Amino acid sequence: MTEFDYDLFVIGGGSGGVRAARVAAATGARVGLAEDSRMGGTCVIRGCVPKKLMVFASAYRETFDDARAYGWDLTEGAFDWPRFSGQLDAELDRLEGVYRKLLNGSGVEIFDLRARLADPHTVALADGRKMTAKHILIATGGRPVRPDMPNAHLGMVSDDIFQMKQLPRSILIVGGGYIACEFAGILNGLGVAVTQFYRGAQILRGFDDEARGLIAEMMGEKGVDLHLGTDIVEMNPAADGAIRVLGSNGSDKIYDAVLFATGRTPNTRDLGLADLGVVMGRQGEIVVDAYSQTNIPSVYAIGDVTNRVTLTPVAIREAMGFVETVFKGNPTPVDHDLIPSAVFTQPEFGTVGLSEEAARAQEPVEIYATSFRPMQTAFAGRADRVMMKLVVSQATRKVLGCHIVAPQAGEMIQLAGIAIKMGATKEDFDRTVAVHPTMSEELVTMKTPVRMA
């Protein structure tokens, strides 16, 4: 019988890789993990966590304004980016330490080195050492990409935002996905003059049309200079590190910074996958089956590197399914249906299930929707609007989709997601007594469809 150095070797120390390593080690497996950057991966170090903290920071400007309307006498100071970023760095250091402590406490051996596959059971480390493992799990995540155009190096990508020494006075954000729109709101809230170019007809492609239309409208109300159907024609260095940009809309303007938020790609470079014959997809993703297994039986992959559903909780769920399947003898496919998600735009967006457009293409539906000014900000004189929407099957009465544009929409959609995952019908929502006065009560008080399709 072949003796391996490890029962499992994980390449990648993000949320999915760390969870798989820890839980596998808890079964008694010998586990090694290699990570050539910081432990915690994109989510903890250069994604979800620092971004959400920046969202919190950016929202205080409106909070101060609202406080005055509510009778508070206060003087607003200037935002101190170096102070905030120093505290942010300290928090990320703390979280990375937590991840390392959890791994060490689980008995996982950590290698702070780049690793690649040498054969189906061997991992080669950057220092020349080779480790053998019965199973190898790739959890290397994804990375932001710059467009292929002259002088693209002048612009930042999302990873760079967290390393800025000072805030720019003005910035051009290129892209219309959730990363672009989230950072547009963040930087606008922190006092940066934000211009956003998106070549499409509307931001947040793939989400519910009515929801993304309201978000675009409110972003403009809050000060983001959004240009749809627009892209960069040319960009060149200007004085004092600034960047001159010619837009396809005829604009010619100098910005202190440019942020490219035009997409991410799976992190599969230099992993030895092609040499091993691992099947890859058209976007460079690792192709896996329902159990996260590649065409090489000993090699598995989870998370963004597979480009299935690129969300941190999904990577963690895939990690748990992998351990159940491989180390507990309980084959567990991951259910990627009806996954709730939040986009931390300003206003925030929570969504689960089908958009109105996708549902209409599938079957006849009823649409229940309302839009109104929320009590808290209406009292303060702000023009903010929120939206609540349910997409309901005419045949089964099941709620096929729920879309919320509102403060704390992410918190609301988590709870709505439970009901919808359980197969709740519109009548189940109707039978639920409203919590008053709240925004979320609208989800159970919409009695008449606004349209049927």
Side-chain angles (χ1 to χ4, degrees):
M1 181 176 177
T2 303
E3 178 66 25
F4 297 102
D5 297 322
Y6 299 95
D7 299 304
L8 171 65
F9 199 98
V10 180
I11 302 177
S15 299
V18 168
R19 179 63 63 90
R22 287 177 52 218
V23 179
T27 69
R30 296 164 299 167
V31 182
L33 182 148
E35 170 58 58
D36 68 340
S37 183
R38 299 184 65 182
M39 204 65 67
T42 294
C43 180
V44 174
I45 303 301
R46 46 195 174 269
C48 318
V49 172
K51 174 196 70 183
K52 188 67 182 290
L53 291 171
M54 288 180 72
V55 169
F56 291 146
S58 68
Y60 279 104
R61 187 174 66 172
E62 288 187 336
T63 300
F64 294 145
D65 291 339
D66 290 351
R68 295 187 187 95
Y70 276 88
W72 288 92
D73 184 11
L74 54 83
T75 301
E76 181 180 342
F79 176 69
D80 187 339
W81 171 259
R83 179 181 174 186
F84 169 75
S85 62
Q87 291 181 250
L88 179 61
D89 289 343
E91 175 63 6
L92 300 186
D93 289 344
R94 184 189 72 81
L95 292 173
E96 182 180 11
V98 169
Y99 269 61
R100 288 183 177 276
K101 185 177 180 180
L102 288 170
L103 287 169
N104 287 325
S106 300
V108 176
E109 187 172 2
I110 300 172
F111 299 90
D112 291 302
L113 294 163
R114 183 163 182 80
R116 66 193 311 275
L117 278 69
D119 66 43
H121 292 283
T122 304
V123 172
L125 300 177
D127 64 1
R129 283 180 291 173
K130 291 187 175 181
M131 307 291 178
T132 60
K134 184 176 182 181
H135 305 285
I136 298 171
L137 177 66
I138 301 172
T140 48
R143 67 181 189 280
V145 295
R146 283 183 172 82
D148 183 14
M149 62 175 292
N151 290 324
H153 67 281
L154 298 174
M156 297 186 292
V157 293
S158 58
D159 288 359
D160 303 320
I161 287 286
F162 309 111
Q163 306 303 319
M164 293 188 301
K165 299 302 182 185
Q166 61 184 16
L167 282 179
R169 291 164 300 179
S170 63
I171 191 168
L172 170 65
I173 297 178
V174 184
Y178 70 93
I179 294 174
C181 295
E182 287 173 340
F183 278 115
I186 289 168
L187 294 170
N188 176 66
L190 296 179
V192 180
V194 177
T195 302
Q196 184 175 355
F197 284 1
Y198 179 50
R199 63 185 181 184
Q202 185 56 278
I203 59 171
L204 299 173
R205 180 171 61 88
F207 291 101
D208 185 84
D209 280 356
E210 193 171 9
R212 61 194 189 128
L214 178 57
I215 293 169
E217 179 184 338
M218 294 309 305
M219 286 173 63
E221 290 278 348
K222 291 175 182 292
V224 175
D225 186 15
L226 175 61
H227 297 263
L228 301 173
T230 305
D231 206 348
I232 291 179
V233 173
E234 184 179 324
M235 59 187 291
N236 292 289
D240 299 323
I243 305 166
R244 184 172 184 172
V245 177
L246 176 64
S248 61
N249 59 353
S251 63
D252 186 352
K253 190 173 179 181
I254 293 176
Y255 302 92
D256 285 345
V258 172
L259 169 64
F260 290 113
T262 49
R264 294 178 62 85
T265 191
N267 246 334
T268 52
R269 292 184 302 189
D270 194 33
L271 288 178
L273 300 174
D275 294 340
L276 204 60
V278 174
V279 174
M280 312 283 285
R282 294 198 305 176
Q283 295 180 304
E285 73 275 18
I286 298 174
V287 176
V288 295
D289 65 12
Y291 302 95
S292 298
Q293 188 175 36
T294 72
N295 62 305
I296 308 297
S298 59
V299 179
Y300 292 74
I302 60 170
D304 290 8
V305 77
T306 67
N307 205 31
R308 288 178 284 183
V309 178
T310 54
L311 296 169
T312 296
V314 175
I316 292 171
R317 186 64 62 90
E318 290 169 357
M320 299 298 289
F322 161 77
V323 173
E324 285 288 329
T325 299
V326 175
F327 291 95
K328 296 186 178 181
N330 177 30
T332 304
V334 178
D335 181 1
H336 291 101
D337 188 36
L338 293 175
I339 296 172
S341 64
V343 182
F344 295 102
T345 44
Q346 298 178 34
E348 199 167 300
F349 179 34
T351 180
V352 61
L354 297 177
S355 67
E356 177 180 343
E357 294 71 40
R360 277 196 278 108
Q362 173 180 293
E363 61 179 289
V365 293
E366 294 178 354
I367 305 301
Y368 297 80
T370 184
S371 181
F372 55 93
R373 295 176 66 195
M375 178 190 296
Q376 183 177 6
T377 54
F379 182 86
R382 278 205 265 143
D384 293 19
R385 295 193 67 81
V386 305
M387 186 198 82
M388 307 280 174
K389 184 175 190 176
L390 296 176
V391 181
V392 178
S393 166
Q394 290 187 27
T396 67
R397 305 300 299 157
K398 283 187 177 181
V399 179
L400 303 176
C402 177
H403 311 285
I404 302 172
V405 179
Q408 302 298 314
E411 305 294 340
M412 287 187 264
I413 205 65
Q414 178 70 85
L415 301 180
I418 298 170
I420 293 170
K421 185 70 173 178
M422 292 176 68
T425 64
K426 180 61 172 64
E427 286 66 37
D428 291 324
F429 274 67
D430 292 343
R431 281 192 294 270
T432 304
V433 176
V435 178
H436 182 76
T438 66
M439 290 181 290
S440 58
E441 68 181 294
E442 297 290 335
L443 292 174
V444 300
T445 58
M446 296 184 288
K447 303 302 183 184
T448 305
V450 296
R451 55 188 168 270
M452 302 176 72

